[in-house]
Amino acid sequence: MGISELLPLLKPALKEVRLSEFRGKRVGVDGNVWIFRGAYSCALDLHLNVHTSSYIGYCCSLARMLLENGIHPVVVFDGYSLAAKDGTSHKRAEQRREATAELELQMENWRELQMRHEAQPHNNQLQHEVGAARARTEHAAQRTIKVTAQMVERVMSALRGLGVDVMRAPYEADAQLAYLAKRRSVAAVLTEDSDLVAHACPCVLLKLDRHAGTVQRLLWEDVPTVSAGNGLSLKNFDQTMFLELCILVGCDYLESPKRLGLKTAIKLMAKF
């Protein structure tokens, strides 16, 4: 879901650590996030139904990186959709339809420029315009990405081939990963957004730097130490209050009241 403004607020509690600190441990991973990121490089092929395995290669490369650091990844994928999320799902579907319409326009413009360039192959200006049109088309394609069941199955099969544990959550992968972490079935959860923090996951790993081999670690026990400025803090927030705060500022299951930011919500929550 991603909680607006949450990660910037929690920045003081983040600590850069090396992946090697988790050597010999099991680390949970949000598989749908991996697929979505991997699909960026082949979004146009996916839209055109051109066979591609680029997103699979991306997921496998991340899994290998963890394995090479002595980490045993446990990759969890979304299961069934929740009825409570229907509003958000419909909104995203409409956004993809609009993005698809925009993509068709960009593709048409790209084709026209390609035809003109074929007729004038030495025209450097046209060559530049063709390149720019292609970039706009690929960017537009990225906004049409939808992770399908077939994509998930292909990635799961490839990861199993590497000896990686994979599983489908009953519903949302975030909740399942938080559950595994709270039961100490995994030592931490690697993700790219704030969903796991909302679930009070004991140890969340963010902002993976593949080249440096580092992540930003956020321990749930450090969340109450965060100051929101103007005398506001999360000091007295237990897990229930923190979850209610995240819901209040807006999530996939409930829209936030207009003009209600995170700091204002903290101030309101602190009164009760």
Side-chain angles (χ1 to χ4, degrees):
M1 50 189 176
I3 310 303
S4 177
E5 304 175 34
L6 183 57
L7 289 183
L9 176 71
L10 297 177
K11 187 175 180 179
L14 295 175
K15 179 182 179 181
E16 183 175 277
V17 299
R18 299 199 64 80
L19 284 173
S20 57
E21 291 194 17
F22 297 91
R23 183 175 298 277
K25 297 180 180 180
R26 292 160 60 87
V27 172
V29 177
D30 187 332
N32 281 68
V33 169
W34 274 12
I35 296 178
F36 192 84
R37 292 298 184 191
Y40 264 57
S41 65
C42 56
L44 188 55
D45 285 342
L46 291 171
H47 173 74
L48 297 173
N49 291 317
V50 175
H51 179 77
T52 178
S53 58
S54 293
Y55 63 90
I56 301 174
Y58 176 85
C59 296
C60 288
S61 69
L62 289 174
R64 289 192 189 95
M65 179 197 61
L66 295 180
L67 292 169
E68 289 167 359
N69 279 275
I71 296 170
H72 190 95
V74 179
V75 187
V76 181
F77 299 87
D78 288 340
Y80 292 108
S81 298
L82 289 165
K85 198 176 175 179
D86 282 351
T88 296
S89 297
H90 292 322
K91 182 178 180 180
R92 289 176 179 169
E94 179 59 31
Q95 289 173 339
R96 282 195 298 272
R97 283 192 289 270
E98 293 175 358
T100 298
E102 173 62 23
L103 173 57
E104 294 297 331
L105 291 175
Q106 294 292 350
M107 288 177 62
E108 181 64 25
N109 180 55
W110 182 26
R111 293 191 192 102
E112 289 179 1
L113 287 170
Q114 283 180 309
M115 292 175 62
R116 289 173 57 192
H117 186 245
E118 287 172 3
Q120 304 176 56
H122 302 297
N123 188 320
N124 292 332
Q125 178 61 32
L126 269 179
Q127 183 177 5
H128 173 76
E129 291 179 10
V130 168
R134 175 173 181 169
R136 289 194 299 270
T137 300
E138 291 176 344
H139 180 71
Q142 292 171 353
R143 293 187 285 112
T144 69
I145 294 173
K146 176 179 172 59
V147 175
T148 66
Q150 182 184 33
M151 292 169 70
V152 171
E153 289 298 330
R154 292 184 68 193
V155 170
M156 289 178 71
S157 177
L159 292 176
R160 289 192 190 101
L162 297 177
V164 173
D165 287 340
V166 296
M167 66 180 296
R168 293 293 288 267
Y171 296 99
E172 297 273 294
D174 308 321
Q176 184 66 31
L177 285 162
Y179 173 78
L180 292 174
K182 289 176 181 179
R183 286 178 57 89
R184 299 185 179 178
S185 296
V186 296
V189 176
L190 177 64
T191 185
E192 292 190 12
D193 57 38
S194 54
D195 298 9
L196 269 295
V197 186
H199 286 292
C201 182
C203 181
V204 180
L205 306 180
L206 301 153
K207 303 183 184 300
L208 171 65
D209 187 328
R210 299 175 62 179
H211 302 292
T214 61
V215 288
Q216 298 290 323
R217 185 190 66 193
L218 176 64
L219 299 177
W220 168 254
E221 64 188 34
D222 291 335
V223 170
T225 68
V226 172
S227 170
N230 297 322
L232 298 174
S233 76
L234 300 175
K235 181 178 180 180
N236 296 316
F237 280 66
D238 58 18
Q239 293 185 13
T240 299
M241 283 184 67
F242 188 79
L243 178 59
E244 291 172 347
L245 171 68
C246 293
I247 293 171
L248 182 60
V249 297
C251 62
D252 285 353
Y253 307 96
L254 186 68
E255 290 188 9
S256 170
K258 292 183 178 180
R259 294 185 294 279
L260 177 64
L262 184 58
K263 292 185 178 181
T264 301
I266 293 172
K267 185 176 181 180
L268 291 172
M269 291 285 295
K271 291 182 178 180
F272 300 96

